[in-house]
Every structure is written in structure tokens, then in C-alpha cells.
Short mmCIF file of all heavy atoms in Angstrom, two decimals:
data_model
loop_
_atom_site.label_atom_id
_atom_site.label_comp_id
_atom_site.label_asym_id
_atom_site.label_seq_id
_atom_site.Cartn_x
_atom_site.Cartn_y
_atom_site.Cartn_z
N SER A 1 110.43 -105.96 -98.85
CA SER A 1 111.86 -105.68 -98.80
C SER A 1 112.44 -106.22 -97.49
O SER A 1 111.79 -106.20 -96.45
CB SER A 1 112.12 -104.17 -98.88
OG SER A 1 113.51 -103.88 -98.73
N THR A 2 113.68 -106.69 -97.58
CA THR A 2 114.39 -107.16 -96.38
C THR A 2 115.66 -106.36 -96.13
O THR A 2 116.45 -106.72 -95.25
CB THR A 2 114.75 -108.66 -96.52
OG1 THR A 2 115.58 -108.83 -97.67
CG2 THR A 2 113.49 -109.51 -96.65
N ASP A 3 115.87 -105.29 -96.89
CA ASP A 3 117.09 -104.51 -96.74
C ASP A 3 116.80 -103.01 -96.59
O ASP A 3 117.54 -102.17 -97.09
CB ASP A 3 118.05 -104.74 -97.90
CG ASP A 3 117.43 -104.43 -99.26
OD1 ASP A 3 116.31 -103.88 -99.29
OD2 ASP A 3 118.06 -104.75 -100.28
N GLY A 4 115.69 -102.70 -95.93
CA GLY A 4 115.37 -101.31 -95.67
C GLY A 4 114.78 -100.56 -96.84
O GLY A 4 114.71 -99.33 -96.83
N GLY A 5 114.36 -101.27 -97.88
CA GLY A 5 113.74 -100.63 -99.03
C GLY A 5 114.66 -100.42 -100.21
O GLY A 5 114.24 -99.84 -101.22
N THR A 6 115.90 -100.90 -100.13
CA THR A 6 116.81 -100.79 -101.28
C THR A 6 116.34 -101.68 -102.43
O THR A 6 116.34 -101.26 -103.59
CB THR A 6 118.24 -101.18 -100.88
OG1 THR A 6 118.68 -100.31 -99.83
CG2 THR A 6 119.19 -101.06 -102.06
N ASN A 7 115.93 -102.89 -102.10
CA ASN A 7 115.41 -103.83 -103.11
C ASN A 7 114.03 -104.31 -102.66
O ASN A 7 113.80 -104.54 -101.46
CB ASN A 7 116.35 -105.03 -103.26
CG ASN A 7 117.71 -104.63 -103.80
OD1 ASN A 7 117.86 -104.29 -104.96
ND2 ASN A 7 118.73 -104.67 -102.94
N TRP A 8 113.15 -104.48 -103.65
CA TRP A 8 111.80 -104.96 -103.37
C TRP A 8 111.55 -106.25 -104.13
O TRP A 8 111.89 -106.36 -105.30
CB TRP A 8 110.77 -103.90 -103.77
CG TRP A 8 110.86 -102.67 -102.91
CD1 TRP A 8 111.57 -101.53 -103.18
CD2 TRP A 8 110.25 -102.47 -101.64
NE1 TRP A 8 111.44 -100.64 -102.14
CE2 TRP A 8 110.63 -101.19 -101.19
CE3 TRP A 8 109.42 -103.25 -100.83
CZ2 TRP A 8 110.20 -100.67 -99.97
CZ3 TRP A 8 108.99 -102.74 -99.61
CH2 TRP A 8 109.37 -101.47 -99.19
N TYR A 9 110.95 -107.23 -103.43
CA TYR A 9 110.77 -108.57 -103.99
C TYR A 9 109.28 -108.89 -104.13
O TYR A 9 108.44 -108.40 -103.39
CB TYR A 9 111.42 -109.62 -103.09
CG TYR A 9 112.90 -109.39 -102.88
CD1 TYR A 9 113.37 -108.76 -101.73
CD2 TYR A 9 113.83 -109.78 -103.84
CE1 TYR A 9 114.74 -108.54 -101.54
CE2 TYR A 9 115.19 -109.56 -103.66
CZ TYR A 9 115.63 -108.94 -102.51
OH TYR A 9 116.97 -108.72 -102.33
N THR A 10 109.00 -109.77 -105.09
CA THR A 10 107.66 -110.33 -105.28
C THR A 10 106.62 -109.23 -105.33
O THR A 10 105.63 -109.25 -104.59
CB THR A 10 107.33 -111.36 -104.17
OG1 THR A 10 108.45 -112.19 -103.94
CG2 THR A 10 106.16 -112.24 -104.59
N GLU A 11 106.82 -108.25 -106.23
CA GLU A 11 105.79 -107.24 -106.41
C GLU A 11 104.60 -107.87 -107.12
O GLU A 11 104.74 -108.47 -108.17
CB GLU A 11 106.31 -106.05 -107.21
CG GLU A 11 105.25 -104.96 -107.38
CD GLU A 11 105.78 -103.75 -108.11
OE1 GLU A 11 106.04 -103.87 -109.32
OE2 GLU A 11 105.94 -102.69 -107.47
N ARG A 12 103.43 -107.72 -106.54
CA ARG A 12 102.22 -108.31 -107.11
C ARG A 12 101.18 -107.23 -107.35
O ARG A 12 100.95 -106.37 -106.50
CB ARG A 12 101.65 -109.37 -106.16
CG ARG A 12 100.36 -109.98 -106.65
CD ARG A 12 99.75 -110.91 -105.63
NE ARG A 12 98.35 -111.19 -105.94
CZ ARG A 12 97.48 -111.71 -105.10
NH1 ARG A 12 97.88 -112.03 -103.88
NH2 ARG A 12 96.23 -111.91 -105.45
N MET A 13 100.58 -107.26 -108.54
CA MET A 13 99.46 -106.39 -108.82
C MET A 13 98.22 -106.97 -108.13
O MET A 13 97.77 -108.06 -108.47
CB MET A 13 99.21 -106.26 -110.32
CG MET A 13 98.14 -105.24 -110.65
SD MET A 13 97.75 -105.17 -112.42
CE MET A 13 96.72 -106.64 -112.57
N ILE A 14 97.67 -106.24 -107.18
CA ILE A 14 96.54 -106.75 -106.40
C ILE A 14 95.25 -106.64 -107.17
O ILE A 14 94.48 -107.59 -107.28
CB ILE A 14 96.45 -106.00 -105.06
CG1 ILE A 14 97.73 -106.20 -104.23
CG2 ILE A 14 95.22 -106.44 -104.28
CD1 ILE A 14 98.02 -107.64 -103.86
N ASP A 15 94.98 -105.44 -107.72
CA ASP A 15 93.75 -105.25 -108.48
C ASP A 15 93.78 -103.89 -109.18
O ASP A 15 94.57 -103.02 -108.83
CB ASP A 15 92.51 -105.32 -107.57
CG ASP A 15 91.26 -105.77 -108.31
OD1 ASP A 15 91.28 -105.81 -109.57
OD2 ASP A 15 90.25 -106.09 -107.65
N VAL A 16 92.91 -103.76 -110.17
CA VAL A 16 92.69 -102.48 -110.86
C VAL A 16 91.36 -101.93 -110.36
O VAL A 16 90.32 -102.57 -110.52
CB VAL A 16 92.66 -102.66 -112.39
CG1 VAL A 16 92.42 -101.32 -113.08
CG2 VAL A 16 93.96 -103.29 -112.88
N PHE A 17 91.40 -100.74 -109.75
CA PHE A 17 90.20 -100.14 -109.18
C PHE A 17 89.68 -99.05 -110.11
O PHE A 17 90.42 -98.12 -110.46
CB PHE A 17 90.50 -99.56 -107.79
CG PHE A 17 90.83 -100.61 -106.77
CD1 PHE A 17 92.14 -101.01 -106.55
CD2 PHE A 17 89.82 -101.21 -106.03
CE1 PHE A 17 92.44 -101.98 -105.62
CE2 PHE A 17 90.11 -102.19 -105.09
CZ PHE A 17 91.43 -102.57 -104.88
N GLN A 18 88.42 -99.16 -110.50
CA GLN A 18 87.79 -98.17 -111.36
C GLN A 18 87.23 -97.02 -110.53
O GLN A 18 87.07 -97.13 -109.31
CB GLN A 18 86.67 -98.83 -112.18
CG GLN A 18 87.11 -100.03 -112.99
CD GLN A 18 88.14 -99.69 -114.04
OE1 GLN A 18 88.14 -98.60 -114.60
NE2 GLN A 18 89.05 -100.63 -114.32
N ASN A 19 86.93 -95.91 -111.20
CA ASN A 19 86.41 -94.73 -110.51
C ASN A 19 84.90 -94.89 -110.31
O ASN A 19 84.08 -94.23 -110.96
CB ASN A 19 86.71 -93.47 -111.32
CG ASN A 19 86.72 -92.23 -110.44
OD1 ASN A 19 85.90 -92.10 -109.54
ND2 ASN A 19 87.66 -91.34 -110.68
N GLN A 20 84.57 -95.80 -109.42
CA GLN A 20 83.17 -96.11 -109.13
C GLN A 20 83.09 -96.78 -107.77
O GLN A 20 84.10 -97.17 -107.20
CB GLN A 20 82.60 -97.04 -110.20
CG GLN A 20 83.32 -98.38 -110.30
CD GLN A 20 82.90 -99.20 -111.50
OE1 GLN A 20 82.50 -98.65 -112.52
NE2 GLN A 20 82.98 -100.51 -111.39
N THR A 21 81.88 -96.91 -107.26
CA THR A 21 81.67 -97.54 -105.96
C THR A 21 81.69 -99.06 -106.11
O THR A 21 80.95 -99.63 -106.92
CB THR A 21 80.33 -97.10 -105.36
OG1 THR A 21 80.33 -95.68 -105.18
CG2 THR A 21 80.11 -97.77 -104.01
N THR A 22 82.54 -99.70 -105.34
CA THR A 22 82.59 -101.16 -105.30
C THR A 22 82.56 -101.61 -103.85
O THR A 22 82.99 -100.88 -102.96
CB THR A 22 83.86 -101.71 -105.98
OG1 THR A 22 85.01 -101.21 -105.29
CG2 THR A 22 83.92 -101.29 -107.44
N PRO A 23 82.04 -102.80 -103.56
CA PRO A 23 82.03 -103.29 -102.17
C PRO A 23 83.41 -103.75 -101.75
O PRO A 23 84.29 -104.00 -102.58
CB PRO A 23 81.05 -104.46 -102.23
CG PRO A 23 81.16 -104.97 -103.64
CD PRO A 23 81.39 -103.74 -104.50
N PHE A 24 83.60 -103.88 -100.44
CA PHE A 24 84.85 -104.42 -99.94
C PHE A 24 85.06 -105.84 -100.48
O PHE A 24 84.14 -106.64 -100.54
CB PHE A 24 84.85 -104.47 -98.41
CG PHE A 24 85.40 -103.23 -97.76
CD1 PHE A 24 84.64 -102.50 -96.86
CD2 PHE A 24 86.69 -102.80 -98.04
CE1 PHE A 24 85.16 -101.37 -96.25
CE2 PHE A 24 87.22 -101.67 -97.44
CZ PHE A 24 86.45 -100.95 -96.55
N LYS A 25 86.30 -106.11 -100.85
CA LYS A 25 86.71 -107.45 -101.29
C LYS A 25 87.98 -107.82 -100.54
O LYS A 25 88.84 -106.96 -100.30
CB LYS A 25 86.97 -107.44 -102.80
CG LYS A 25 87.47 -108.75 -103.37
CD LYS A 25 87.71 -108.63 -104.88
CE LYS A 25 88.31 -109.89 -105.47
NZ LYS A 25 88.56 -109.77 -106.93
N GLU A 26 88.10 -109.08 -100.16
CA GLU A 26 89.30 -109.53 -99.45
C GLU A 26 90.38 -109.92 -100.45
O GLU A 26 90.12 -110.61 -101.44
CB GLU A 26 88.99 -110.71 -98.54
CG GLU A 26 90.20 -111.13 -97.71
CD GLU A 26 89.92 -112.28 -96.77
OE1 GLU A 26 89.58 -113.38 -97.26
OE2 GLU A 26 90.02 -112.09 -95.55
N TYR A 27 91.61 -109.48 -100.16
CA TYR A 27 92.77 -109.81 -100.98
C TYR A 27 93.82 -110.48 -100.10
O TYR A 27 93.89 -110.22 -98.89
CB TYR A 27 93.36 -108.56 -101.62
CG TYR A 27 92.42 -107.85 -102.57
CD1 TYR A 27 91.57 -106.85 -102.11
CD2 TYR A 27 92.37 -108.21 -103.91
CE1 TYR A 27 90.69 -106.21 -102.98
CE2 TYR A 27 91.50 -107.56 -104.78
CZ TYR A 27 90.67 -106.57 -104.30
OH TYR A 27 89.80 -105.94 -105.16
N LYS A 28 94.66 -111.31 -100.74
CA LYS A 28 95.72 -112.00 -100.01
C LYS A 28 97.03 -111.88 -100.76
O LYS A 28 97.06 -111.93 -101.99
CB LYS A 28 95.38 -113.48 -99.82
CG LYS A 28 96.40 -114.25 -98.98
CD LYS A 28 96.01 -115.71 -98.84
CE LYS A 28 97.06 -116.49 -98.06
NZ LYS A 28 96.74 -117.93 -97.98
N TYR A 29 98.10 -111.70 -100.01
CA TYR A 29 99.45 -111.61 -100.57
C TYR A 29 100.36 -112.46 -99.70
O TYR A 29 100.37 -112.31 -98.47
CB TYR A 29 99.91 -110.16 -100.56
CG TYR A 29 101.38 -109.93 -100.87
CD1 TYR A 29 101.84 -109.87 -102.18
CD2 TYR A 29 102.31 -109.76 -99.84
CE1 TYR A 29 103.18 -109.64 -102.47
CE2 TYR A 29 103.65 -109.53 -100.12
CZ TYR A 29 104.08 -109.47 -101.42
OH TYR A 29 105.40 -109.24 -101.69
#
């Protein structure tokens, strides 16, 4: 957001996390 949170831009789904142990993974936005 560039207006204090009134509008949000370029929302991206990063990942779906399951209820289990997973190793760290690097993500980029």
C-alpha cells in the first residue's frame, strides 16, 4: 500500500502451508 492501507496493490499468494513440519524455504516478492 502507498496510501496508509486504504488500498492494497499486487497481492500475491506466497504459498499454501500444510499442518506439518516443513524446512525453511526462501520466497521473493
Side-chain angles (χ1 to χ4, degrees):
S1 176
T2 59
D3 57 8
T6 300
N7 296 288
W8 293 94
Y9 301 99
T10 316
E11 182 177 70
R12 177 186 164 195
M13 186 184 77
I14 299 299
D15 207 347
V16 179
F17 293 91
Q18 305 297 327
N19 203 321
Q20 60 189 29
T21 300
T22 60
F24 269 123
K25 177 181 175 180
E26 184 179 62
Y27 297 91
K28 184 181 177 183
Y29 169 84

